[in-house]
Amino acid sequence: MALRWWWRCGACSRRSPPLGSLPRFRPPGPGSRGTPAAPSAAMCHLAQRSSTLAFPKIDQALWRFHHTSASHLCSCSKTVSDEKYQDPFQLGRKDLKNLYEDIKKELLVSAAEFKEMCEYYFDGKGKAFRPVIVVLMARACNIHHNNSREVQASQRSVAIIAEMIHTASLVHDDVIDDANSRRGKMTVNQIWGERKAVLAGDFILSAASVALARIGNTTIVSVLTQVIEDLVSILGCPDPKVHEIAYQYGKNVGIAFQLIDDVLDFTSCADHLGKPAAADLKLGLATGPVLFACRQFPEMNALIMRRFSKPGDVERARKYVLQSDGVQQTTYLAQRYCHAATREISKLRPSPEREALIQLTEMVLMRDK
């Protein structure tokens, strides 16, 4: 099974999963910290109950969306200060030099085939989105705390560990989804088989755990099951308020990232996306665009209840979604979460790193794969 930090409604859980490990469309309930109230209350209720009783809740969320000013929904770009804009990936490149080479050093494997499997996704062709967030957050917190622009060695280690944990979850997810492509190439499970792929994912995860233990901070180990971004806050700054800012930023960007993922499943072709399109429908999953589409096409409820299992269900559901405003509403919801992330990170002292983190929220909304 892939390593996931599952959300639960209300008081059952207060932590979100790391970026890319989010459950399919299960935002926290109204009891959770700092989440945009109307969207999460409605969508959490929707995601946890596959019945028509929950769907009227969408009306409340949509009403809030349509009665929110355009400047509020699109305010991410307006919050950038006068700091000179720098591309986030360019700004984080200095501290991520030799990232994948360092990851491969953690994978101490002697068997040639197993080594190739474990290193397969660490080919430098990924976006390294999570490591970039970690090093930018590290510098932004360090600047806020003691005006230091240097990333500590332990903070950089967290960037490495974050990418390893994320990649291990990809290997496992591809097995669960029976996926045949990832990042434009064949998956580990398609080349070496499911059993070896599971072992490879497990090994990457164990290597990440060893690297984590080597940091020597017991608090860091204890929060492994929490948001990865929390780690670099604790390492770099003792101020709980800064920890909370980093947590809220990571949580909201993570939700937005997953929502846009749900959108791309309907709007991007398989070749461009690097993985099969409509994959969630084929797995029987009702994601954001599907849930919103039910408002205009109530007949979708029956398809959801049977998890799109009958012949033609996937095609019908996809048609309904594209004919509805489900894609647009899911995008609006992602905008709300990005706005929340921007609002939080703007509480830190101005710096190029802070502005780069704001720019990353815009990149999440604009990405096409």
Side-chain angles (χ1 to χ4, degrees), residues 87-98:
D87 178 80
F89 293 90
Q90 184 69 30
L91 191 58
R93 183 172 297 175
K94 168 192 169 184
D95 296 302
L96 296 178
K97 186 179 180 180
N98 301 322

Side-chain angles (χ1 to χ4, degrees), residues 57-84:
K57 290 280 186 178
I58 292 183
D59 292 331
Q60 179 185 2
L62 295 183
W63 189 91
R64 289 286 298 272
F65 293 149
H66 289 306
H67 289 77
T68 304
S69 67
S71 62
H72 177 74
L73 283 175
C74 302
S75 60
C76 294
S77 61
K78 297 182 181 181
T79 59
V80 179
S81 72
D82 292 333
E83 293 274 349
K84 184 179 179 181

